[in-house]
Amino acid sequence: MNKRLMVSVLGIAATVMVSSTAFAEWMSKGGERDEALHLKPDHENGIEVYEVCAACHLTEGWGSKDGTFPQIAGQHQPVLVKQLADIREGNRDNPTMYPFAKPEAIGGPQAMADVTHYIAKLPMNPDNGKGPWEKGTPEYEKGKKLYEDNCVKCHGENGEGKAEKFYPKIQGQHYLYMVRQFEWIRDGKRRNANPEMVDQIKRFTHDDALHVINFASRIPVPKEDLAPSKEWLNPDYD
């Protein structure tokens, strides 16, 4: 075999091995995450614990269109548990959320199970923050193509994610929040990012990122997962 070709093949193989190892570590079980996912949730305690979260994410779990806080209503419970556990264990840097996520603030694994189960059942905002390019524009169509070519495998054709693999639901998520997280993941600033995604998007330009996220922000959310209107108020906190 040509030496130059052999070096190239070995390099690719090494990259795949490193990527596979990193992904296995990302998916590894254990700790609070695994414990919380095997506990029976207490709905009433979930309501009580969520009061701590509502200060930023709102009582409806809808976050803010300006991207400061994500919509967490309707997110897969395993995804919520993983992110919460990663923040608590120092695997994801989030200094704003950390004080509210600590055991002293919300409790141990049982509280994690309770509050994440409650959040996952909240109806989603029917008026999430969307990107600037409507369907039919060149930017929208470019974003659609990028999404189909790069994102469907993990996030699904409709942005529904995969709970069992901790792939988040991105349908209905705020455009500006996704822009920030995408850039952090691409640039290595989000330490708990899925290594497969880091590798997948590292070649994306700034415009690529904006266009694909614009498309994702405009993926319709199934009607049964939405609140009846954008004026809906969570009755658990009347």
Side-chain angles (χ1 to χ4, degrees):
M1 180 184 289
N2 180 283
K3 286 185 178 180
R4 199 169 284 181
L5 178 60
M6 182 180 290
V7 169
S8 177
V9 170
L10 290 173
I12 292 170
T15 300
V16 170
M17 289 176 65
V18 169
S19 178
S20 298
T21 300
F23 181 72
E25 292 175 354
W26 187 80
M27 283 287 291
S28 64
K29 298 180 180 180
E32 286 189 315
R33 182 182 81 188
D34 196 45
E35 185 176 351
L37 287 173
H38 286 85
L39 293 170
K40 182 179 179 180
D42 181 324
H43 179 77
E44 293 304 316
N45 189 51
I47 295 174
E48 184 174 337
V49 174
Y50 185 69
E51 286 193 59
V52 176
C53 315
C56 295
H57 294 287
L58 308 182
T59 52
E60 293 71 41
W62 291 356
S64 54
K65 287 186 177 183
D66 67 4
T68 305
F69 304 108
Q71 169 158 225
I72 56 176
Q75 184 57 265
H76 300 304
Q77 187 193 11
V79 171
L80 295 167
V81 168
K82 174 173 171 49
Q83 295 305 316
L84 184 55
D86 280 353
I87 290 169
R88 284 161 69 109
E89 294 167 6
N91 297 323
R92 176 179 174 182
D93 302 315
N94 192 326
T96 301
M97 185 172 168
Y98 179 70
F100 303 100
K102 293 193 300 183
E104 298 91 322
I106 65 171
Q110 182 64 60
M112 289 174 62
D114 299 344
V115 73
T116 54
H117 182 266
Y118 176 73
I119 295 167
K121 298 297 183 183
L122 287 172
M124 297 172 69
N125 186 353
D127 185 32
N128 67 294
K130 296 176 176 63
W133 299 289
E134 296 183 357
K135 186 175 182 179
T137 61
E139 293 84 358
Y140 175 93
E141 296 303 326
K142 180 184 175 185
K144 180 181 179 181
K145 182 68 165 56
L146 285 166
Y147 185 89
E148 291 171 347
D149 291 346
N150 297 276
C151 311
V152 167
K153 178 183 174 183
C154 295
H155 291 292
E157 292 184 4
N158 300 303
E160 69 273 18
K162 293 180 182 177
E164 70 278 8
K165 291 192 173 182
F166 306 106
Y167 299 155
K169 178 187 294 185
I170 57 174
Q171 58 180 208
Q173 189 55 267
H174 302 304
Y175 169 75
L176 290 175
Y177 177 77
M178 288 194 286
V179 168
R180 185 170 78 250
Q181 294 303 314
F182 188 103
E183 291 176 345
W184 284 357
I185 291 169
R186 184 194 61 199
D187 299 342
K189 295 180 180 179
R190 181 163 158 175
R191 292 187 296 113
N192 79 328
N194 182 341
E196 289 191 343
M197 181 174 177
V198 175
D199 186 62
Q200 182 79 10
I201 67 174
K202 62 186 178 183
R203 67 183 181 279
F204 277 46
T205 67
H206 179 67
D207 284 347
D208 288 340
L210 297 184
H211 296 155
V212 75
I213 295 166
N214 175 78
F215 173 78
S217 73
R218 292 176 173 275
I219 295 174
V221 178
K223 187 175 181 180
E224 61 269 22
D225 295 336
L226 295 171
S229 76
K230 63 182 181 180
E231 282 79 33
W232 181 81
L233 298 176
N234 189 343
D236 293 327
Y237 299 99
D238 284 347

